[in-house]
Amino acid sequence: MVRSGEEPKPAGRATEGTGPARLRERFLQGEPVDTGVRTSILNSWRRSRSLGLSPDGTDLPYREDFDAGGRIVRAAVPVLDRLQIAFSGSQINISVADANGTVLLRRFGDPSMARNLPAIQRVPGFVFAEQVAGTNGIGLALAERQLIRVYGAEHFAERSQGNACVAMPVRDPLNGRIEGVLCFGYPRSFEQPALGAAIRRAAENIERRLLGQSSAHERALLRTYLAAGSEAGAHGGIALDAVADEFHPRDQAVLREKAAELISRGQRAAIDVTLPGGRRVTLVSRPMTSASGVRGFAVEAVLPGAPAGGALVLPHQADELPDLAALAAAQLPARPSVTLPSGYLAAASGPAVAPDGDRLPAGYGDTGGAEGGRGAADGAGGVADGGPGVAGGGAGTVDGGGDGGGDVGGDAADGGGDAPYGGSGAVDDRTGSPFPARGLVMVGEPHVGAYALAARRRLELLSEASARIGTTLDVRRTAEELAETAVPRLADFVTIDLPDAVLRGEESADPLADLRRTVLHGVRDGLPFTQPGKRIEFGPTAPQLRCLTSGEAVLEPDLKAAAGWLAQDPEHTAHLLAHVQSLIAVPLLARGVVLGIASFYRAGSSFGDDDRSLAQELAARAALSIDNARRYTHERTMVLALQRRLLPHGLPDQDAVEVAHRYLPAESDVGGDWYDVIPLSGTRVGLLVGDVVGHGMLSAATMGRLRTAARSFAELDFSPDEVLTHLDNLVGRLDREDPDGKGAGVIGATCLYAVYDPTEQRCLMARAGHPPPALVHPDGTVSYPDLPAGPPLGLGGLPFDTVGIDLPEGSQLVLYTDGLIEDRNRDVDVVLEQLRTALAHPERAPEDTCQAVLDTVAPAHPHDDIALLVARVHALDPGRIATWELPADPAVVAETRASAMRRMADWGLDETAFAVELILSELITNAIRHGAGPIRVRLLYGRTLICEVSDVSNTAPHLRRAASTDEGGRGLFLVAQLSQSWGTRYLPEGKVIWAECGLDAA
């Protein structure tokens, strides 16, 4: 079983608690050790070696000037006395060291140990910091800042191989700083699982006594304040409940926050506070000193009710109060009656009744015990938590509550409540004070108020981080938001290093192999940090690598003494030491994925454990946002790759139009916009632009299906309205087949389809809920054709209309999706006018037109995809068109064939003439035999030679394989063999049979 805060013991540990002796020997010989040793031990070995420590060394520094009567000693002595009794007769060596690793106290389960042990294990004053002693319980507990066990050969020094120890840091509950270390040393054969629980309870008891010391100080200040008010007489009574009666709880919270700020400043001052409702209240901080020498401040709220002409005027944010004596002559109303909240003693002359029923004298003699009662711990606990009991909790605030009942009597050592006003540092408040009415808000010591204020600031920073981090789905921007949130309120400089794979939206197989500096942000520039974009490599003892290995934040309070940090790059770190003092390295971990490392640097002071917890919380929140951005980037990359793969990769060869196109994905997500250019029979070309509703993979996949279907329908030579009708039916069918759609119409799309015929210079268009095209005339005028909108695809049952427009040669037809013109911050009509202006340059090539439109019309941050298609139309030279009108008479076949051969000769296509002659003979004969007159024959000479034969019959021929005994049925087979392609195109009346021949056909 592994307890919280402890590492698992290494598998295969040698018997009798000797530790991994063989692995230690391998390490000392310079061989790699990757498994079998706990991470904290291996890191400590590496740091010890980088410091040049020798495992054979026996001398440790000794300090004669250690503080044998400090706070940690006073709090620990009773606890160690009880531990000595509990372990009586055992070989337990109990010690308490300060935050620098200097041993202050020693206790032994067996008193004879004090005679038999060497001096370094029995005499206080020896330093066991890791920097001088190597891997040991006290030094490692300070380095790792958590409960630590060290077994036998896990010690770096040879002298400790036969021992084991368990050590735990002891923190000040008010500020979270490590005050010292409690350590149990014992022979390796004495190992017991209960030692971990025992040292935890003992450390908690020491911390509780440290808290009691701080609470006693504030109880003494409150007694001094109350006693001073009592001596002031009936008109000097202090209304402790006035604030609670006068102000809403919301306003009380504001006043307490400002009072904590005043106390933390440590100055006599007055400020005006504007409450949320607009009410203004003056807060006054007064210095005071208890009989036991505790120096602090009381903060009062000056309440309404001053008589005309007698109000006290205090400067805003004044550092010093005005001369109160000059205002003493002001006439004052009677003081309000004093009614104290539960847990407070009345500040009035004569005996008072304590909450427990005992009668107390007016001087408020001592009634509390050495610990100050339950209210001491509970009340001051509010300080550490940053809650309503700031700067004293039950003892020092208006709303301390019943738990502060035992605190007013206080500790006898702190003195009674008889400190008069007027002494050095005492409150200057006499009868005739100019205040009309006032209420106590808070008492406390400046450093305690500073702790409370810092705790509140940390909570505010966490709250702000929730709103500031993760506003976008961009990995780099999210990392920048983490740095901007932390500077300067937590750190002076922040660096964030992410693997290249994470920046691409992937998971990194080896984060350290491709780590790159992504963000560098600080209070100033010019520091010798590795700049963004550069690769980062951390040494094995670097805090950044240790934090990745452990998965926890690593704190280095003093970088000058951080061996692992100094060893990674001595030259570079030496430059940084001139600018930074402390470091917190935090891994960016989310959902089991290593995303990178965040390093927080502070220049003028050191980080503490509260800062480490705050940095880890900020990093954890940011890591989730970075992982969300990474996953989004990965999905967007896949969708965008699919989208681009489904769009045309090149334009088909044709002479009807000169085309340019652009596709611009949305910033937030990829949609389903598409475009297409489709060569059709008779030198015509189809232009298609569409938009699938929605974003993401589904929209991209749907777009691919619709584009494929639209191309197929177009190549069947359907008219534009027929193509849209078929697409409408397809979308409805896809919607009904969607297992999650349930027929609710979740799939939808818009589309615009245009067919341009260069032989007639005419364009047929139809649209289904799509924006109309823009038409740029050769003279530069731009218009938007009046084209019926039609319903979006998928509604079903509604018709689409085809409109024909004449396009002079050189005109440009511009098709686009709604992402170009629709934006939440712009009016559509204004955008259409901007588009008209951008297009009013007919001399531009289509490529230049596309770029100009995107530069001037497209939104800077598009929320929807943009597909743009610009086509400049051309006309087929009339000299390359040959047309014959024929009656339905077989006698004209030979004559027509001869005329066609003469035209072929004029065009210089003698090599193609034979194939064309056979094709024309077969098609004309079929039209006469199976169709109806009149018959029209047309030859079109472009990139290929196209033969067309049309009649007014709607009966289309079908290719079939004729049997060996059939006399006919082989004509279309010959056409198919002699031509590149052939087909049927239906007209409003009749049909056209066409065949396309290569110019090199024979």
Side-chain angles (χ1 to χ4, degrees):
M1 180 177 68
V2 179
R3 298 179 181 273
S4 175
E6 298 184 48
E7 290 184 276
K9 301 176 184 178
R13 185 170 58 92
T15 59
E16 299 182 352
T18 59
R22 293 183 179 178
L23 293 173
R24 177 178 176 274
E25 292 301 323
R26 288 176 51 191
F27 175 83
L28 293 177
Q29 293 173 7
E31 298 180 17
V33 177
D34 298 325
T35 60
V37 182
R38 289 180 294 154
T39 301
S40 60
I41 299 298
L42 183 57
N43 287 336
S44 181
W45 287 356
R46 289 170 173 168
R47 294 193 296 269
S48 300
R49 183 169 60 182
S50 66
L51 289 167
L53 299 179
S54 171
D56 299 326
T58 57
D59 296 332
L60 292 180
Y62 179 79
R63 295 185 55 184
E64 296 182 353
D65 58 344
F66 69 90
D67 188 0
R71 293 183 67 227
I72 186 68
V73 173
R74 297 197 308 272
V77 164
V79 178
L80 263 63
D81 290 341
R82 292 194 292 270
L83 288 174
Q84 186 175 20
I85 296 173
F87 291 109
S88 176
S90 68
Q91 296 297 303
I92 289 287
N93 179 352
I94 308 168
S95 59
V96 170
D98 63 15
N100 297 316
T102 304
V103 175
L104 307 177
L105 292 173
R106 291 282 193 185
R107 293 287 190 276
F108 305 96
D110 184 352
S112 63
M113 296 175 62
R115 298 188 297 272
N116 300 329
L117 292 174
I120 60 174
Q121 294 185 13
R122 61 182 172 83
V123 178
F126 284 96
V127 180
F128 283 82
E130 187 184 62
Q131 292 87 341
V132 294
T135 307
N136 69 90
I138 293 175
L140 193 53
L142 289 173
E144 297 291 330
R145 311 180 77 84
Q146 63 179 343
L147 177 66
I148 286 294
R149 293 177 183 264
V150 183
Y151 304 96
E154 290 181 334
H155 288 87
F156 190 76
E158 294 287 351
R159 63 174 176 271
S160 303
Q161 299 299 294
N163 300 321
C165 62
V166 56
M168 183 171 183
V170 177
R171 290 178 168 82
D172 186 335
L174 282 179
N175 57 22
R177 294 178 181 173
I178 293 179
E179 291 288 327
V181 178
L182 176 62
C183 181
F184 294 170
Y186 47 88
R188 62 194 187 197
S189 59
F190 188 76
E191 173 65 30
Q192 296 181 6
L195 289 177
I199 200 171
R200 287 179 184 276
R201 289 195 298 270
E204 290 172 358
N205 288 334
I206 297 175
E207 291 174 351
R208 192 176 299 112
R209 294 183 63 81
L210 287 173
L211 181 61
Q213 292 178 15
S214 299
S215 301
H217 290 177
E218 297 197 358
R219 293 197 303 274
L221 291 174
L222 181 62
R223 286 197 305 274
T224 301
Y225 182 84
L226 294 174
S230 175
E231 291 185 1
H235 292 290
I238 299 173
L240 292 181
D241 62 341
V243 173
D245 292 342
E246 185 74 19
F247 297 101
H248 187 275
R250 175 195 59 191
D251 298 337
Q252 295 178 39
V254 175
L255 293 176
R256 285 196 299 271
E257 180 178 355
K258 296 299 182 182
E261 293 179 4
L262 276 177
I263 292 176
S264 66
R265 289 167 57 182
Q267 295 179 340
R268 180 172 178 168
I271 61 172
D272 288 336
V273 179
T274 301
L275 299 177
R279 187 177 182 185
R280 296 174 64 86
V281 177
T282 300
L283 291 182
V284 181
S285 65
R286 297 167 176 266
M288 52 192 299
T289 305
S290 72
S292 59
V294 178
R295 295 180 179 273
F297 286 82
V299 178
E300 298 173 327
V302 179
L303 307 180
L312 175 65
V313 179
L314 295 172
H316 181 64
Q317 297 287 352
D319 289 333
E320 298 293 337
L321 289 175
D323 186 4
L324 303 182
L327 303 175
Q331 183 178 359
L332 302 176
R335 290 282 185 179
S337 61
V338 178
T339 304
L340 299 180
S342 173
Y344 287 90
L345 302 179
S349 58
V353 180
D356 56 6
D358 294 337
R359 297 183 66 81
L360 302 175
Y364 303 99
D366 297 335
T367 62
E371 293 294 329
R374 179 167 62 93
D378 293 346
V383 181
D385 294 338
V390 177
T397 62
V398 174
D399 58 349
D403 287 346
D407 294 346
V408 179
D411 192 341
D414 291 328
D418 55 355
Y421 279 88
S424 176
V427 177
D428 187 11
D429 191 3
R430 306 174 179 84
T431 302
S433 168
F435 297 107
R438 66 188 183 277
L440 177 65
V441 179
M442 188 177 294
V443 296
E445 298 174 272
H447 69 277
V448 176
Y451 298 153
L453 193 61
R456 182 181 295 110
R457 293 292 183 259
R458 285 192 288 270
L459 291 175
E460 291 174 352
L461 183 58
L462 285 177
S463 176
E464 180 180 333
S466 299
R468 291 188 60 180
I469 300 176
T471 59
T472 68
L473 286 172
D474 180 80
V475 174
R476 195 181 304 273
R477 179 56 193 152
T478 303
E480 291 173 352
E481 289 171 345
L482 168 60
E484 292 168 359
T485 302
V487 176
R489 297 170 63 178
L490 172 62
D492 296 319
F493 304 94
V494 175
T495 64
I496 299 178
D497 308 314
L498 303 178
D500 285 333
V502 172
L503 293 172
R504 295 193 303 266
E506 305 168 2
E507 292 186 16
S508 178
D510 185 4
L512 293 177
D514 61 346
L515 206 59
R516 190 174 298 277
R517 176 61 45 85
T518 304
V519 175
L520 170 59
H521 183 68
V523 293
R524 64 181 182 275
D525 299 328
L527 267 67
F529 286 103
T530 302
Q531 294 302 306
K534 302 292 185 181
R535 297 191 64 83
I536 299 292
E537 294 184 1
F538 294 110
T541 58
Q544 287 84 354
L545 182 60
R546 288 157 49 201
C547 81
L548 273 188
T549 305
S550 64
E552 300 289 337
V554 173
L555 168 61
E556 293 289 358
D558 185 4
L559 287 176
K560 292 183 175 64
W565 186 76
L566 293 171
Q568 64 167 329
D569 188 351
E571 182 179 355
H572 179 67
T573 52
H575 291 303
L576 273 180
L577 280 178
H579 305 279
V580 296
Q581 177 176 337
S582 188
L583 164 68
I584 300 175
V586 189
L588 296 173
L589 301 173
R591 304 180 180 99
V593 177
V594 177
L595 301 173
I597 302 171
S599 301
F600 301 84
Y601 294 89
R602 188 172 283 179
S605 59
S606 296
F607 287 114
D609 284 288
D610 287 342
D611 298 317
R612 180 178 66 170
S613 299
L614 177 60
Q616 184 148 349
E617 178 65 22
L618 287 176
R621 298 188 182 194
L624 284 175
S625 297
I626 291 175
D627 191 47
N628 290 337
R630 180 193 65 82
R631 289 166 175 254
Y632 165 77
T633 301
H634 180 65
E635 180 179 348
R636 185 176 187 273
T637 301
M638 290 192 302
V639 174
L640 187 57
L642 174 63
Q643 175 88 343
R644 293 193 183 279
R645 184 65 181 173
L646 295 175
L647 290 174
H649 293 280
L651 298 178
D653 293 332
Q654 45 80 37
D655 295 323
V657 293
E658 178 187 354
V659 180
H661 57 85
R662 293 289 189 277
Y663 171 74
L664 184 65
E667 280 193 350
S668 59
D669 206 348
V670 179
D673 292 15
W674 89 90
Y675 59 87
D676 207 348
V677 178
I678 308 168
L680 301 175
S681 63
T683 69
R684 298 171 307 140
V685 65
L687 304 175
L688 190 65
V689 171
D691 183 4
V692 175
V693 175
H695 299 84
M697 188 72 74
L698 177 61
S699 296
T702 303
M703 178 274 291
R705 300 173 73 177
L706 291 183
R707 175 178 173 259
T708 301
R711 189 178 188 91
S712 299
F713 296 144
E715 288 178 344
L716 291 175
D717 272 324
F718 292 141
S719 63
D721 59 311
E722 290 179 306
V723 170
L724 295 184
T725 300
H726 286 294
L727 286 177
D728 181 52
N729 295 333
L730 174 63
V731 171
R733 185 163 58 253
L734 293 176
D735 198 5
R736 291 189 296 271
E737 293 174 355
D738 182 7
D740 299 324
K742 299 179 182 178
V746 297
I747 299 176
T750 64
C751 185
L752 171 62
Y753 180 45
V755 177
Y756 174 69
D757 187 347
T759 64
E760 299 180 359
Q761 300 181 40
R762 186 167 180 81
C763 183
L764 301 178
M765 293 183 287
R767 61 181 177 131
H770 202 83
L775 177 58
V776 183
H777 297 273
D779 61 358
T781 59
V782 180
S783 63
Y784 298 98
D786 186 12
L787 185 63
L793 301 178
L795 294 183
L798 298 176
F800 301 95
D801 296 324
T802 297
V803 173
I805 300 175
D806 293 327
L807 295 182
E809 184 175 10
S811 301
Q812 291 188 18
L813 190 62
V814 181
L815 285 66
Y816 51 87
T817 56
D818 58 0
L820 178 68
I821 61 173
E822 294 182 3
D823 184 60
R824 66 189 65 176
N825 300 319
R826 303 186 301 174
D827 183 79
V828 173
D829 293 335
V830 174
V831 177
L832 289 176
E833 191 60 34
Q834 293 176 348
L835 179 61
R836 187 192 303 272
T837 302
L839 295 176
H841 297 276
E843 73 283 357
R844 285 178 179 159
E847 284 288 343
D848 297 334
T849 301
C850 279
Q851 194 59 47
V853 169
L854 291 184
D855 292 340
T856 60
V857 181
H861 304 281
H863 297 282
D864 195 6
D865 291 17
I866 297 174
L868 177 64
L869 192 65
V870 177
R872 172 175 286 168
V873 300
H874 299 294
L876 186 60
D877 184 358
R880 293 191 171 211
I881 303 174
T883 305
W884 296 271
E885 296 285 344
L886 307 178
D889 183 357
V892 300
V893 175
E895 182 182 349
T896 305
R897 187 169 60 233
S899 299
M901 291 306 98
R902 287 193 296 272
R903 182 59 62 93
M904 296 284 291
D906 294 341
W907 288 339
L909 301 178
D910 295 332
E911 293 182 358
T912 312
F914 177 73
V916 172
E917 183 177 11
L918 292 179
I919 291 173
L920 284 177
S921 296
E922 179 61 30
L923 294 183
I924 296 173
T925 301
N926 282 343
I928 295 173
R929 181 177 299 178
H930 303 290
I935 297 172
R936 187 169 184 256
V937 177
R938 187 168 70 160
L939 295 180
L940 303 176
Y941 174 27
R943 291 175 178 268
T944 61
L945 187 69
I946 301 174
C947 305
E948 295 183 346
V949 177
S950 61
D951 62 76
V952 297
S953 172
N954 290 326
T955 302
H958 297 283
L959 179 65
R960 67 182 180 88
R961 185 176 296 276
S964 59
T965 58
D966 291 343
E967 294 183 0
R970 295 176 180 84
L972 287 181
F973 179 77
L974 290 175
V975 171
Q977 295 299 312
L978 294 172
S979 63
Q980 293 180 350
S981 59
W982 73 280
T984 302
R985 178 172 76 250
Y986 289 94
L987 302 175
E989 294 183 0
K991 64 181 181 299
V992 175
I993 309 298
W994 59 269
E996 184 174 357
C997 298
L999 298 183
D1000 57 349

